[in-house]
Amino acid sequence: MFYAILAYHVEEAITALTPEEDAELMTDLLQIHERLYREGALGPAARLGATQDACTLRGPGAGMVIDGPFAETKEQLLGLYVVDCATRDAAIAIARDFRRVNPTAVYEIRPISLYLPGVPLSVTQS
């Protein structure tokens, strides 16, 4: 069985790290990643982009795109998709496709950056 481990943190605390502190944190995390990878327990790992770069698709019909990840507190993150798109609009179009078949869901669209060296994932350059 696969599990998603979603790392929640105070965003300002992470963005306040110096490049050296961030590199030290990543070195520590990569030691765990490498162990899990050797054990065959780790798939792709990604750091979500900044919340200010996120948008949410909600509302009736085709929905309305709202800046930011503003899910209601009664809503929980139940799954995620990683899609390879050249633009934010292309990602929104895919979210609208999901919404067409699941109209009660709310979809947050956020850029991600890979930070696990050696694990291949095709990425479209924008």
Side-chain angles (χ1 to χ4, degrees), residues 13-119:
I14 297 300
T15 58
L17 294 175
T18 66
E20 295 79 16
E21 291 169 329
D22 188 57
E24 183 178 342
L25 173 61
M26 292 311 305
T27 297
D28 292 343
L29 288 172
L30 288 173
Q31 289 176 0
I32 298 168
H33 294 178
E34 289 168 3
R35 177 181 54 84
L36 293 171
Y37 185 73
R38 283 191 309 273
E39 293 170 358
L42 183 66
R47 179 182 267 182
L48 289 175
T51 55
Q52 74 231 18
D53 296 332
C55 63
T56 301
L57 177 63
R58 66 165 59 245
M64 176 188 308
V65 177
I66 303 167
D67 287 337
F70 302 113
E72 300 288 330
T73 56
K74 64 182 178 182
E75 298 166 343
Q76 291 83 36
L77 179 62
L78 297 180
L80 63 94
Y81 301 87
V82 175
V83 296
D84 184 6
C85 298
T87 66
R88 176 180 160 181
D89 288 344
I92 291 169
I94 291 170
R96 283 195 165 116
D97 286 341
F98 290 137
R99 183 176 183 80
R100 184 175 40 80
V101 299
N102 191 4
T104 60
V106 173
Y107 294 94
E108 177 182 337
I109 300 98
R110 188 184 301 191
I112 61 172
S113 301
L114 285 178
Y115 67 95
L116 183 58
V119 177

